[in-house]
Amino acid sequence: MAVIKCPNCGAETEPTSAGILSVCPQCQHDLRDEAEKQMREARKERAKTIARDDSVTTHEYIVRTKGLKKEYRMGEEIVHALRGVDLDVRRGEYLSIMGPSGSGKSTLFNMVGGLDKPSSGTCFIEEVDMAQLDAFELAWLRCRKLGYIFQTFNLIPVMTALENVTLPMIFAGMSTDEMMDRGRELLDLVGLGERLHHKPYELSGGQQQRVAVARSLANAPAIILADEPTGNLDLQTGREIIDLLKELNMESGVTIISATHDLKMIDVSDRVVHIRDGQVERVEKRADLKLEIGTMGEH
Amino acid sequence: MDVKKLAQLASEGQAGTEIQKLIALPWADAFRISLRNVTLRIGRAAITAAGIILGIAFLMSVLTSKVAQEGIDRSEANKFSHSVETIQSVDQGTPESKKEADDAKAQRAGKQDWLVVMSLLVCGVGITNSMLMSVTERFREIGTMKCLGALDGFIVRLFLIESALLGFIGSIVGVLIGHLFILLSVCIKSGFSTPAKMDWKEMGFYILISLVVGTLLSLLAAIIPARAAARMPAAAALSTEV
């Protein structure tokens, strides 16, 4: 991390190796806000660069798949859900996976999310081969590095909104006080501060999905995986969720991978991967898409 | 909605170099979640518990009537020995006939033991079935928990705590029902002085045994369904339609 300039006395200080610097050694001014601001700026800048620039170095790929294949046995028949998918996802990217139902996009989503094992091929998350992980490491990865959002919200029905959001924090070993504070704050920020103790069935679809978004952020993941997040929502609410995800992506630089066939998603995606018959049909960049949408509008 | 703040919160911890390598489900939290599952799915819980209540009530009724019968026999024997001292002439059966009566009693007790074991087995199968159903209807929930970072062991733990709770509560109710019912019927049949003749130390021991048997039975019955649920791959668990 870069040096932090004290807004009070102007002294520039190098943060400690852990990246923590709370007070200015010169004038004892509280530097936490300043440090956070700088960190955010840096991340935002990086996200913008990634969105613009194609020439990012290879280690900036957060997810890579190589020759991913998945076969299911359905009675006598063998169904090829994926027939060798090579996909690289950049850090901080907003990627949409599109395709008709049965195209294998949910299967791909499951592989990337570590929910299912491929028949052959490899999937790397942050240079770690998922196939090499044991159950404990996989759980750790899901808990700390990945956040999931589902079409059917998948909140735990017997738990309140707050308990749903704090559940991943329990798994992560957070202390109760810290957990409650963070949970409250997250829910407050998605606009559900008044409904902390409501059960999922007492919330509307949009509200449930917002609880799910808050839950996916519980342990500050590097990647948010969203499987048809707008599939069960009306247009307006779907739009809100998409905007929320996009802004999160822009502000915090979290990578978002979303399986969808919602066309509204195209607007906000950096890249769109089209899947057909278990293969990548084509990859579109946002710039090209904008052009397409523009020409369509002129008819 | 303050997305800027949210984003900041979302990225907290990402920058930290210190990685806490820990996945945990403390017992207190597990207990709280399980208790919630029992109280909020009270209908399902009641059905599972009913199996235990019936089984334990039967076990308890057999044990209570045994203790009561022993108490009555003992007081009869005391009375008899007193009367033997006063009326010497009365001949109350030869040693052979006494042995025969003992044999018949032992046979009856054996049959009763067999019945108790059978009823507990049937009750165990019932609980397994009920737990299997309750696990099946929660596949999606299990898949979600796995996505959030739950280990297989957490899922098993949650279900085992739940079934132990149900087993314990069901056993208490079963003990109460079986005990009070038999006590009442004995009182009506042999007079209300019977409870005083009973060996309450022995009775207390049997009550404890019944509670332990009920809880263990329910726990054992839940192991297979819980393990099956926990071993399911997350993707498969999530995509189940129930």
Side-chain angles (χ1 to χ4, degrees):
Chain A
M1 205 160 117
V3 291
I4 294 169
K5 197 171 177 224
C6 175
N8 196 23
C9 64
E12 289 189 346
T13 346
E14 193 97 27
T16 60
S17 56
I20 302 157
L21 184 74
S22 51
V23 289
C24 172
Q26 299 287 320
C27 62
Q28 304 303 316
H29 182 76
D30 193 337
L31 281 182
R32 275 175 299 190
D33 286 345
E34 191 64 25
E36 246 169 39
K37 211 166 86 192
Q38 277 198 18
M39 219 159 69
R40 265 205 315 279
E41 288 297 322
R43 217 175 267 127
K44 211 165 153 181
E45 205 49 48
R46 200 176 58 196
K48 274 184 197 155
T49 330
I50 291 160
R52 265 202 313 268
D53 190 8
D54 279 353
S55 63
V56 229
T57 45
T58 43
H59 71 266
E60 281 299 336
Y61 288 115
I62 194 160
V63 177
R64 312 193 74 167
T65 72
K66 281 205 182 100
L68 217 53
K69 282 185 189 161
K70 180 73 182 178
E71 287 150 13
Y72 293 104
R73 189 173 285 278
M74 262 189 169
E76 297 286 294
E77 257 179 284
I78 292 175
V79 181
H80 299 272
L82 290 180
R83 304 162 186 266
V85 172
D86 300 300
L87 185 68
D88 297 321
V89 185
R90 297 187 187 94
R91 198 179 293 274
E93 191 173 31
Y94 193 126
L95 184 89
S96 287
I97 303 170
M98 288 204 140
S101 50
S103 59
K105 66 177 185 311
S106 283
T107 312
L108 178 61
F109 176 89
N110 286 341
M111 304 285 152
V112 173
L115 303 178
D116 211 346
K117 286 204 162 74
S119 309
S120 69
T122 44
C123 178
F124 298 93
I125 288 199
E126 295 204 319
E127 308 296 312
V128 178
D129 184 357
M130 300 256 270
Q132 304 294 323
L133 300 179
D134 62 21
F136 184 92
E137 289 165 323
L138 206 57
W140 185 87
L141 190 84
R142 287 175 191 157
C143 184
R144 296 305 190 89
K145 288 283 168 194
L146 304 173
Y148 300 86
I149 301 170
F150 303 97
Q151 178 176 9
T152 47
F153 322 132
N154 285 11
L155 300 176
I156 311 288
V158 297
M159 293 186 182
T160 64
L162 185 60
E163 285 168 329
N164 264 291
V165 173
T166 51
L167 187 62
M169 301 185 212
I170 294 180
F171 295 154
M174 210 182 264
S175 76
T176 313
D177 291 342
E178 208 183 337
M179 199 160 79
M180 286 300 155
D181 285 347
R182 192 176 161 84
R184 274 206 190 90
E185 203 172 347
L186 279 169
L187 278 171
D188 202 30
L189 292 172
V190 295
L192 291 173
E194 306 292 309
R195 295 174 189 272
L196 296 176
H197 303 294
H198 283 59
K199 297 267 161 53
Y201 59 83
E202 296 164 326
L203 298 169
S204 72
Q207 287 170 335
Q208 286 190 47
Q209 196 61 303
R210 274 189 274 162
V211 175
V213 172
R215 182 178 66 181
S216 75
L217 297 173
N219 292 323
I223 308 169
I224 291 180
L225 290 156
D227 190 5
E228 308 252 2
T230 59
N232 278 10
L233 301 174
D234 60 67
L235 272 167
Q236 174 64 27
T237 330
R239 181 86 249 172
E240 276 171 31
I241 294 292
I242 291 172
D243 288 345
L244 178 60
L245 288 176
K246 182 60 192 173
E247 280 178 81
L248 272 172
N249 169 249
M250 290 301 289
E251 293 289 335
S252 74
V254 63
T255 310
I256 295 183
I257 301 174
S258 162
T260 185
H261 44 229
D262 187 345
L263 291 170
K264 293 194 290 296
M265 280 282 198
I266 290 187
D267 248 2
V268 296
S269 307
D270 295 323
R271 281 194 304 161
V272 179
V273 177
H274 290 267
I275 302 272
R276 189 173 283 272
D277 293 331
Q279 280 170 318
V280 177
E281 195 184 37
R282 64 182 197 279
V283 181
E284 290 171 315
K285 287 196 205 82
R286 192 179 175 186
D288 309 338
L289 283 165
K290 274 230 167 103
L291 218 77
E292 261 177 44
I293 293 166
T295 49
M296 275 168 74
E298 279 164 21
H299 280 294
Chain B
M1 230 187 282
D2 184 353
V3 181
K4 278 216 170 97
K5 193 103 181 288
L6 188 63
Q8 179 195 331
L9 214 62
S11 56
E12 261 171 29
Q14 263 187 49
T17 47
E18 184 206 345
I19 294 164
Q20 209 180 351
K21 188 121 186 149
L22 176 80
I23 293 285
L25 178 62
W27 282 99
D29 289 304
F31 188 80
R32 198 168 44 79
I33 295 169
S34 300
L35 190 67
R36 182 68 63 80
N37 264 321
V38 172
T39 51
L40 284 177
R41 298 181 214 251
I42 197 75
R44 152 83 52 213
I47 293 172
T48 314
I52 303 157
I53 292 172
L54 290 176
I56 294 303
F58 183 63
L59 173 67
M60 202 58 215
S61 68
V62 169
L63 291 173
T64 309
S65 59
K66 179 174 167 244
V67 173
Q69 195 54 50
E70 276 172 7
I72 293 167
D73 285 355
R74 217 174 12 253
S75 76
E76 295 274 303
N78 282 344
K79 235 188 259 165
F80 176 64
S81 63
H82 283 303
S83 54
V84 166
E85 278 165 26
T86 46
I87 317 158
Q88 294 278 344
S89 59
V90 179
D91 190 3
Q92 270 284 6
T94 57
E96 283 84 36
S97 71
K98 200 174 179 223
K99 197 168 169 262
E100 257 172 42
D102 279 355
D103 275 356
K105 210 190 240 172
Q107 219 171 21
R108 222 176 29 235
K111 238 181 222 163
Q112 215 152 39
D113 285 353
W114 178 236
L115 262 178
V116 167
V117 169
M118 278 309 288
S119 79
L120 286 180
L121 272 179
V122 170
C123 147
V125 172
I127 304 165
T128 311
N129 189 23
S130 186
M131 281 311 280
L132 214 58
M133 283 297 295
S134 111
V135 165
T136 310
E137 68 181 14
R138 269 189 262 170
F139 270 158
R140 188 190 289 269
E141 218 172 293
I142 292 164
T144 309
M145 285 213 177
K146 282 190 153 188
C147 283
L148 301 180
L151 290 165
D152 290 5
F154 296 0
I155 311 286
V156 173
R157 189 183 299 179
L158 286 176
F159 277 106
L160 288 190
I161 293 176
E162 193 179 320
S163 79
L165 263 175
L166 279 177
F168 187 63
I169 296 167
S171 300
I172 291 178
V173 177
V175 161
L176 279 177
I177 292 176
H179 183 65
L180 293 179
F181 186 74
I182 293 300
L183 208 61
L184 197 70
S185 81
V186 166
C187 281
I188 291 168
K189 223 161 47 189
S190 325
F192 281 85
S193 60
T194 321
K197 294 175 195 158
M198 282 165 62
D199 183 351
W200 282 98
K201 219 173 179 179
E202 195 184 2
M203 197 66 249
F205 175 69
Y206 283 148
I207 288 177
L208 206 68
I209 289 277
S210 301
L211 288 180
V212 171
V213 166
T215 312
L216 277 184
L217 194 69
S218 164
L219 207 58
L220 280 176
I223 284 178
I224 296 168
R227 281 176 71 105
R231 279 187 185 162
M232 208 168 175
L238 276 173
S239 59
T240 1
E241 298 284 341
V242 182

